[in-house]
Amino acid sequence: MARRAGGGNDIQWCFSQVKGAVDDDVAEADIISTVEFNHSGELLATGDKGGRVVIFQQEQENKIQSHSRGEYNVYSTFQSHEPEFDYLKSLEIEEKINKIRWLPQKNAAQFLLSTNDKTIKLWKISERDKRPEGYNLKEEDGRYRDPTTVTTLRVPVFRPMDLMVEASPRRIFANAHTYHINSISINSDYETYLSADDLRINLWHLEITDRSFNIVDIKPANMEELTEVITAAEFHPNSCNTFVYSSSKGTIRLCDMRASALCDRHSKLFEEPEDPSNRSFFSEIISSISDVKFSHSGRYMMTRDYLSVKIWDLNMENRPVETYQVHEYLRSKLCSLYENDCIFDKFECCWNGSDSVVMTGSYNNFFRMFDRNTKRDITLEASRENNKPRTVLKPRKVCASGKRKKDEISVDSLDFNKKILHTAWHPKENIIAVATTNNLYIFQDKVN
Amino acid sequence: MSAEIPEAASAEEQKEMEDKVTSPEKAEEAKLKARYPHLGQKPGGSDFLRKRLQKGQKYFDSGDYNMAKAKMKNKQLPAAAPDKTEVTGDHIPTPQDLPQRKPSLVASKLAG
């Protein structure tokens, strides 16, 4: 299957599917809070503010009618987390799923980690397509038979049944975080994982729930001296001893767990020097990193701050190797974006399977792709207006100022309530999942 | 030597002017400071971080509530105004003020 290893612009993106309610009245619980493909791309999980997880499965490709790849249909859905109240601290604990991370598949079942602000859970999703029939002491409906009526014996057999997908919580990792969990990341050893909150990062073993090791602690002795918080963390894809964490001040620290038990001293500090004369009230806020993702190769990492996406070479700490402007036109709107709190929106970013293209979301249900090789970028929109299957998406353009050309949209007309914070790219194919507030869009490249 | 000083002064003035013209960020900052003159001295910094760390805090002290109820036997407790969404220390919150949190009983619409 020779798919073109294309850039964001060589590819023609087409609408494939959209999931979720059509009406504009969005219930808070339906707000999508995370999207993640599994390692094969066959499964796509979403989490929402109501603490629910929905998993979609890709249909097996129809070899004859290969004008499109398999569709994603609902495979399983369950309530992962529920709202809680910590009476001791007078703290309300939201059930919102902050992150979902899949484990690589080891057997017939699938496993994922899902987390809210305080508790991480390991879920097992398994299929059942057979059931035992022909018990001697039980009727088919489960009622017990009177043993005195049994005159012959038979051996129960497994008979096929309609596929049932069951989700069960296998581990609950609780009570390890005082602050709000923003990230979970599974180690390449497939035995341990990290969870990060605003001030601390903990290391867990997937089998052990009553203990976790603290590996990073940036809480100052005096909270008045607090100047920065941890915003995201991730394990290196290949080196099981290496992880990074980003901060609200725009820095990324790479830590090596072999160096010491408590990795408060970084091995590398990635920070782009700032021109002090350009500093403004907004500088620190917009430099806060909302997401950090290693490339699949492990050679690079990508960070997302409010206005840009930066690619860093792990071998170079003093500046990123590539910087892409997501929506630079917002720089002249920072005052209003601060007033309506949009300046604190946390956008995520993702790599394509070959690390040649990166993607991130923006406002007005726009999302952007940057081709690292051709240096071309494209802006697309997730909208129900383009929802005929195989309709090629038209590139969008925002007009920063001055004369607005036809088909361009002016900055002042952008809808800042329509934010695309979460996107995901299939690990092998050109299939992307883009979450608007309460809808999930699936786009794929045009197959001829 | 003295000829340099007026030059330096005008260079600085020019930079300031340039700043206002070329730096949209600084212009936005000026706008914000005009609207909120008492905005914190430290840019970014601790205020936001502390607000972020305190997310989810609900102030309901059952001791305060019961003491207040006991003291004001016949009078009404100072309850929150109906439009107030945040429960703060200015009044005694009642159990009715705290929003009831129940898990979603409805399935996600994505699965529909």
Side-chain angles (χ1 to χ4, degrees):
Chain A
M1 213 158 46
R3 300 273 180 226
R4 233 188 324 185
N9 281 18
D10 294 334
I11 300 176
Q12 285 195 294
W13 288 100
C14 303
F15 174 86
S16 174
Q17 297 169 268
V18 62
K19 310 276 184 195
V22 183
D23 52 68
D24 280 335
D25 197 17
V26 184
E28 260 207 54
D30 292 326
I31 295 173
I32 299 172
S33 51
T34 185
V35 183
E36 188 83 355
F37 280 101
N38 77 336
H39 292 255
S40 65
E42 187 204 350
L43 298 178
L44 175 61
T46 61
D48 65 22
K49 211 165 181 215
R52 301 163 301 191
V53 171
V54 182
I55 301 174
F56 302 92
Q57 181 187 42
Q58 192 180 28
E59 249 171 27
Q60 286 315 299
E61 229 178 288
N62 189 329
K63 299 291 179 205
I64 306 164
Q65 277 190 313
S66 59
H67 50 239
S68 71
R69 289 184 201 72
E71 276 199 344
Y72 283 84
N73 300 315
V74 179
Y75 178 66
S76 171
T77 175
F78 54 92
Q79 184 80 35
S80 172
H81 287 72
E82 292 185 359
E84 287 174 64
F85 195 85
D86 181 339
Y87 294 98
L88 197 62
K89 295 181 191 161
S90 238
L91 199 68
E92 181 174 68
I93 301 168
E94 270 195 301
E95 66 275 36
K96 170 166 77 81
I97 309 295
N98 292 334
K99 286 277 157 37
I100 288 174
R101 289 288 181 262
W102 289 93
L103 263 75
Q105 193 174 11
K106 284 194 287 194
N107 52 40
Q110 300 279 356
F111 288 86
L112 61 79
L113 284 177
S114 70
T115 187
N116 69 348
D117 282 340
K118 295 287 182 182
T119 305
I120 306 127
K121 296 188 184 181
L122 176 69
W123 287 89
K124 175 180 179 182
I125 297 111
S126 46
E127 292 185 359
R128 200 199 288 250
D129 61 357
K130 303 183 256 297
R131 66 152 177 258
E133 282 178 17
Y135 283 109
N136 291 294
L137 295 174
K138 264 199 294 185
E139 303 284 4
E140 293 310 329
D141 60 10
R143 278 180 303 149
Y144 281 96
R145 287 170 77 184
D146 180 354
T148 58
T149 64
V150 177
T151 54
T152 60
L153 287 179
R154 55 189 175 173
V155 177
V157 290
F158 275 97
R159 290 252 145 74
M161 61 180 253
D162 284 340
L163 178 68
M164 206 163 75
V165 182
E166 301 169 317
S168 60
R170 304 304 285 176
R171 305 270 188 277
I172 298 187
F173 304 92
N175 302 319
H177 286 278
T178 307
Y179 303 98
H180 299 109
I181 298 173
N182 52 57
S183 312
I184 46 174
S185 177
I186 298 169
N187 201 345
S188 52
D189 65 11
Y190 300 150
E191 285 188 350
T192 57
Y193 75 94
L194 65 75
S195 57
D197 68 33
D198 291 316
L199 296 177
R200 297 191 179 104
I201 300 180
N202 293 329
L203 180 71
W204 302 83
H205 191 286
L206 284 164
E207 301 286 322
I208 299 167
T209 57
D210 63 355
R211 219 172 315 167
S212 98
F213 287 102
N214 176 242
I215 52 178
V216 172
D217 189 339
I218 64 167
K219 185 178 179 197
N222 180 358
M223 283 298 268
E224 300 285 314
E225 289 163 25
L226 181 70
T227 55
E228 74 183 315
V229 294
I230 297 169
T231 52
E234 197 180 51
F235 263 120
H236 189 277
N238 307 316
S239 301
C240 57
N241 51 281
T242 304
F243 66 92
V244 293
Y245 68 92
S246 59
S247 84
S248 53
K249 274 187 160 174
T251 64
I252 308 101
R253 286 172 176 81
L254 184 140
C255 300
D256 186 334
M257 295 195 292
R258 298 170 300 187
S260 71
L262 189 59
C263 298
D264 276 0
R265 276 217 306 269
H266 54 262
S267 296
K268 294 196 185 189
L269 173 65
F270 297 84
E271 187 172 16
E272 184 166 25
E274 195 196 355
D275 182 359
S277 62
N278 278 340
R279 198 164 170 78
S280 76
F281 175 82
F282 304 110
S283 299
E284 192 174 306
I285 304 173
I286 62 172
S287 73
S288 176
I289 293 172
S290 49
D291 195 15
V292 65
K293 292 258 171 50
F294 278 105
S295 63
H296 294 90
S297 64
R299 165 97 191 267
Y300 299 96
M301 67 178 173
M302 164 167 55
T303 57
R304 176 68 155 98
D305 51 67
Y306 190 61
L307 298 178
S308 68
V309 159
K310 293 178 181 169
I311 312 280
W312 303 78
D313 183 325
L314 292 191
N315 298 314
M316 189 159 73
E317 296 167 61
N318 60 358
R319 59 178 175 82
V321 288
E322 295 155 39
T323 301
Y324 301 104
Q325 300 303 335
V326 181
H327 36 218
E328 179 66 15
Y329 47 77
L330 294 184
R331 202 180 286 269
S332 54
K333 301 285 169 199
L334 292 177
C335 181
S336 355
L337 293 169
Y338 175 86
E339 288 177 304
N340 62 18
D341 272 356
C342 284
I343 205 174
F344 300 106
D345 284 337
K346 297 182 179 53
F347 292 94
E348 290 173 10
C349 53
C350 61
W351 299 83
N352 72 340
S354 58
D355 296 337
S356 59
V357 185
V358 296
M359 168 167 68
T360 189
S362 178
Y363 294 105
N364 210 70
N365 282 348
F366 287 171
F367 57 101
R368 305 262 285 133
M369 289 182 190
F370 302 94
D371 188 323
R372 299 176 61 213
N373 299 324
T374 65
K375 300 302 181 200
R376 289 205 298 263
D377 61 86
I378 190 169
T379 306
L380 298 172
E381 183 180 0
S383 147
R384 283 181 184 267
E385 278 175 23
N386 314 315
N387 66 355
K388 268 176 49 192
R390 299 193 295 284
T391 311
V392 176
L393 298 181
K394 199 175 76 166
R396 312 287 289 156
K397 190 132 164 58
V398 178
C399 164
S401 62
K403 269 204 139 150
R404 187 178 70 89
K405 296 200 191 86
K406 186 183 116 146
D407 282 352
E408 282 186 1
I409 182 163
S410 83
V411 184
D412 298 308
S413 313
L414 294 174
D415 188 341
F416 291 95
N417 290 317
K418 293 193 172 152
K419 347 180 177 227
I420 290 180
L421 303 174
H422 312 285
T423 59
W425 204 309
H426 190 290
K428 303 185 171 94
E429 315 248 352
N430 282 326
I431 301 174
I432 55 176
V434 173
T436 59
T437 307
N438 64 330
N439 285 173
L440 183 71
Y441 287 79
I442 299 172
F443 302 106
Q444 36 178 274
D445 65 349
K446 196 177 165 86
V447 183
N448 293 311
Chain B
M1 217 26 162
S2 58
E4 275 182 36
I5 299 167
E7 234 177 46
S10 68
E12 226 181 81
E13 267 170 25
Q14 194 169 37
K15 176 147 198 342
E16 224 180 86
M17 251 171 55
E18 259 172 22
D19 269 355
K20 293 208 180 95
V21 173
T22 61
S23 172
E25 215 175 295
K26 292 244 166 95
E28 289 294 295
E29 180 179 25
K31 228 193 273 180
L32 193 70
K33 293 228 159 109
R35 286 187 209 175
Y36 310 99
H38 299 299
L39 202 55
Q41 303 306 7
K42 236 199 268 187
S46 301
D47 287 339
F48 304 123
L49 300 182
R50 248 181 260 125
K51 186 168 146 192
R52 179 185 171 134
L53 296 180
Q54 278 178 357
K55 179 188 101 167
Q57 203 87 40
K58 294 269 185 267
Y59 299 100
F60 177 74
D61 188 323
S62 60
D64 273 353
Y65 174 71
N66 286 309
M67 292 287 282
K69 249 190 10 185
K71 265 189 223 160
M72 304 156 85
K73 281 179 229 167
N74 298 319
K75 294 184 232 171
Q76 274 270 304
L77 274 176
D83 53 329
K84 258 200 204 161
T85 47
E86 255 188 61
V87 179
T88 66
D90 275 352
H91 69 278
I92 310 293
T94 63
Q96 293 92 300
D97 291 345
L98 296 177
Q100 292 303 314
R101 301 302 332 282
K102 284 191 205 128
S104 338
L105 301 170
V106 188
S108 165
K109 298 209 179 84
L110 293 183

